[in-house]
Amino acid sequence: MLNLTVHKEHDERRQGEAYAPAETDVQQFQQKFYIESYGCAMNFADSEIVASILHDQGFGATRDFSEADLVLINTCSIREKAEQTVRKRLNDLRQIKKNKPGALIGILGCMAERLKSKLLEEERLVDLVVGPDAYRSLPSLIQEAETGQKAVNVLLSREETYADISPVRLVTNGVNSFVSIMRGCNNMCTFCVVPFTRGRERSRDPHSILRECRELFEQGYKEITLLGQNVDSYFWTPADAASPDGWGQPVTFANLLEQTAKIDPSLRIRFSTSHPKDITDEVLHVIARNDNICKYIHLPVQSGSNRILQLMNRTYTREWYMAKVDRIRELIPGCGISSDIIAGFCTETEEDHQLTLELMEYCQYDFSYMYFYSERPGTLAARRFQDDVPEEIKKRRLSEIVQLQNKLSKISNHKDIGRTVTVLIEGDSKKSNSDWMGRSSENKVLVFPKNNRAVPGDYATVTVTGSTGGTLLGEIIG
Ligand code: SAH
Ligand code: SF4
Ligand code: F3S
């Protein structure tokens, strides 16, 4: 597996795994559904919207696909490997129809949107194909499929934000939660399939965002991550400029971020993802002046070469990006910064690759998500450029990037030794139930021995004593 990352914990949040809520939920429902999600946090958040729509139709969630009347896979198309994973999974699911001939199988999400009804020809097992903007039509599509027809809705929308739907929290530790603030992307990075699978960018009504955040806080959640492909371009104009609730004027991401931070000082706010061209000083000031907005920015660079950045249509230069990193460190001292990096994009030379390594050194990333380029059909890059870097070279460059990031992460972790940080306890550590796992504001994962008073959702004051792999080790001092 070469989509390596130095921080397993971070990666798992993004890459996705099968999940479903506790079995007990199911008893009150006539029918059962099973849902598995792949891809980014937005897809996971969408599965919770789907669960809410299905609950209203009398479907309860089950963890056991063999007893489900409806089996759904929420898919990702970002790289070829993501699609292969889903195809393999579909193969595993063949037995469902043998055990339960009436069961329906549906493909949701980005692969549904990319392949549309072609998916039905390629995967005979599939009964439903539903794109990310069409989940409200699931009830009627299910009815159609129950009559033996194949049902497809892959219409993209300019307005849909599912603002009024209260997501059903599927797998949760009761501490962290995601809230979608926008959908789609207008950026057209040439390598990226997202603008095609998710459609035009649109921002969700801020009232419904704040309501959802407040409800989560009242239910005991302590950390909310505001989600969008490009959160810094969040922009909402009120229909009624004289509305009595204080949003009399357009709402920017900086305004929204500050409003969510004001819900309660004990509620931590994170956000993802920032596009380097759009993150403003105003946002940085809002982060700096609110203690409960985490001091951590994921700022994907993709490449360190200006020529490649231009071919990628990222619309910034390496100099501009480095100046942005300097500005973050100036306004938010100690801010955690991470990145996404693609190795072996079309025409990338050894010199371009060296420029990426140099930029990584300059930025001293705390961690990165690193990939080799995977051509996606229909994207601008697939149409305009040749995918001409041989696979062995892509992989070698990627492994050099991963090695350098491992070194940078070690340096970053070493600097933390001796520091005292506030950690939000998320639960037991993976390795031992006598240790807690939690995160610092800067998004560092910490593992430390339990004391008998704290519970998940509490803040602990922890002194960092060492590190192993990507994790910091510590001792509770308060
Ligand atoms: N909207 C976010 C992230 C989108 S996808 C952003 O703009 O940063 C997450 C990451 O997947 C991207 O940042 C990029 O590094 C990677 N990615 C996207 N398309 C890819 C492709 N075709 N091949 C390899 N990696 C890709
Ligand atoms: Fe893809 Fe670029 Fe949009 Fe991110 S900003 S989702 S990389 S097109
Ligand atoms: Fe994948 Fe779609 Fe997210 S392509 S990364 S699930 S927006």
Side-chain angles (χ1 to χ4, degrees):
M1 218 188 88
L2 259 154
N3 288 341
L4 295 177
T5 140
V6 286
H7 283 239
K8 199 74 190 112
E9 279 87 349
H10 297 293
D11 198 37
E12 276 166 16
R13 281 193 161 190
R14 269 204 152 186
Q15 296 306 313
E17 55 191 35
Y19 67 80
E23 205 101 37
T24 45
D25 278 349
V26 179
Q27 305 316 324
Q28 53 184 317
F29 297 97
Q30 299 108 13
Q31 286 184 294
K32 294 175 187 175
F33 78 94
Y34 170 90
I35 189 164
E36 221 171 80
S37 307
Y38 296 85
C40 63
M42 309 236 25
N43 240 22
F44 281 71
D46 280 3
S47 290
E48 300 187 330
I49 288 170
V50 167
S52 173
I53 293 169
L54 292 176
H55 269 194
D56 291 348
Q57 294 299 307
F59 281 90
T62 169
R63 276 178 198 280
D64 175 4
F65 65 70
S66 69
E67 64 164 23
D69 304 284
L70 174 64
V71 172
L72 299 172
I73 309 190
N74 197 355
T75 60
C76 174
S77 289
I78 200 81
R79 285 167 289 275
E80 196 183 346
K81 192 169 160 279
E83 292 199 358
Q84 282 166 358
T85 308
V86 169
R87 303 257 189 196
K88 277 201 211 107
R89 192 64 185 135
L90 270 174
N91 224 5
D92 301 340
L93 295 176
R94 265 173 217 287
Q95 68 190 83
I96 292 174
K97 295 231 171 168
K98 291 195 190 116
N99 301 345
K100 206 169 182 181
L104 298 176
I105 297 186
I107 300 289
L108 313 178
C110 291
M111 222 173 138
E113 192 62 51
R114 192 178 84 73
L115 293 162
K116 306 189 168 56
S117 51
K118 251 192 1 208
L119 249 181
L120 294 173
E121 291 154 30
E122 291 170 16
E123 304 285 349
R124 319 279 320 180
L125 198 67
V126 174
D127 306 289
L128 293 146
V129 175
V130 192
D133 285 347
Y135 297 144
R136 282 184 208 270
S137 68
L138 265 167
S140 60
L141 295 170
I142 293 167
Q143 268 184 2
E144 200 179 319
E146 278 170 347
T147 68
Q149 291 164 338
K150 303 276 180 183
V152 182
N153 186 351
V154 288
L155 287 175
L156 286 172
S157 156
R158 279 173 181 261
E159 288 96 36
E160 182 63 272
T161 58
Y162 301 109
D164 56 310
I165 296 181
S166 290
V168 169
R169 306 291 159 189
L170 285 171
V171 157
T172 169
N173 57 9
V175 179
N176 329 87
S177 193
F178 293 107
V179 171
S180 281
I181 64 165
M182 59 206 295
R183 299 181 72 82
C185 183
N186 284 356
N187 276 328
M188 287 294 181
C189 302
T190 56
F191 52 79
C192 185
V193 78
V194 172
F196 303 94
T197 61
R198 293 266 163 179
R200 304 289 291 177
E201 179 186 291
R202 67 222 92 124
S203 295
R204 177 179 170 189
D205 171 353
H207 304 93
S208 73
I209 297 172
L210 286 172
R211 190 176 57 234
E212 192 176 327
C213 294
R214 268 189 221 108
E215 282 167 9
L216 285 166
F217 179 67
E218 280 155 18
Q219 289 160 22
Y221 287 88
K222 288 291 177 57
E223 186 181 284
I224 289 175
T225 304
L226 304 176
L227 286 181
Q229 294 298 350
N230 182 10
V231 288
D232 299 284
S233 68
Y234 178 90
F235 190 77
W236 185 84
T237 331
D240 174 9
S243 64
D245 45 30
W247 295 111
Q249 32 188 312
V251 181
T252 63
F253 180 59
N255 307 143
L256 180 72
L257 189 59
E258 191 142 49
Q259 288 301 319
T260 51
K262 281 189 183 143
I263 291 174
D264 195 278
S266 72
L267 179 68
R268 269 188 177 177
I269 309 295
R270 298 187 185 278
F271 56 89
S272 183
T273 303
S274 291
H275 193 300
K277 79 172 158 57
D278 292 319
I279 190 164
T280 59
D281 270 8
E282 201 191 349
V283 166
L284 301 182
H285 285 300
V286 167
I287 299 170
R289 69 173 172 248
N290 288 277
D291 284 344
N292 59 331
I293 301 180
C294 291
K295 306 296 176 264
Y296 164 67
I297 299 176
H298 182 57
L299 198 70
V301 69
Q302 315 297 359
S303 168
S305 152
N306 283 337
R307 193 180 64 83
I308 296 293
L309 286 170
Q310 193 168 16
L311 290 182
M312 288 176 161
N313 192 30
R314 289 292 288 185
T315 72
Y316 52 80
T317 60
R318 72 186 258 121
E319 293 76 21
W320 197 89
Y321 182 93
M322 293 190 297
K324 192 58 90 177
V325 167
D326 293 343
R327 187 72 176 150
I328 293 171
R329 301 220 197 270
E330 180 191 336
L331 294 182
I332 315 168
C335 189
I337 302 181
S338 59
S339 191
D340 290 350
I341 297 167
I342 299 178
F345 186 64
C346 311
T347 78
E348 187 188 76
T349 62
E350 264 339 283
E351 289 73 49
D352 295 318
H353 170 59
Q354 288 305 321
L355 285 165
T356 299
L357 297 173
E358 280 168 28
L359 179 133
M360 290 173 71
E361 290 267 9
Y362 182 88
C363 297
Q364 294 283 309
Y365 293 124
D366 297 294
F367 61 93
S368 293
Y369 302 97
M370 297 155 283
Y371 315 97
F372 61 81
Y373 174 58
S374 162
E375 185 178 81
R376 308 313 294 130
T379 54
L380 291 170
R383 282 187 266 152
R384 284 190 200 153
F385 316 126
Q386 238 186 330
D387 180 13
D388 57 357
V389 178
E391 186 152 321
E392 322 84 74
I393 296 187
K394 284 183 184 172
K395 289 187 174 169
R396 194 254 304 149
R397 288 182 190 161
L398 176 60
S399 77
E400 287 173 14
I401 289 171
V402 169
Q403 266 174 28
L404 173 56
Q405 184 55 56
N406 282 338
K407 184 187 100 181
L408 297 178
S409 299
K410 259 199 202 127
I411 294 173
S412 160
N413 283 347
H414 199 79
K415 277 195 202 143
D416 286 333
I417 294 173
R419 281 192 186 147
T420 297
V421 292
T422 304
V423 177
L424 175 61
I425 300 176
E426 295 184 14
D428 287 353
S429 99
K430 275 197 201 127
K431 292 202 183 121
S432 155
N433 60 11
S434 51
D435 289 339
W436 289 127
M437 185 286 266
R439 273 165 223 266
S440 67
S441 171
E442 295 76 17
N443 209 28
K444 292 279 182 80
V445 175
L446 279 100
V447 168
F448 46 96
K450 290 181 179 177
N451 67 8
N452 37 20
R453 287 182 307 273
V455 291
D458 282 351
Y459 289 98
T461 307
V462 177
T463 297
V464 180
T465 52
S467 71
T468 66
T471 304
L472 294 177
L473 307 173
E475 302 280 345
I476 296 194
I477 59 163

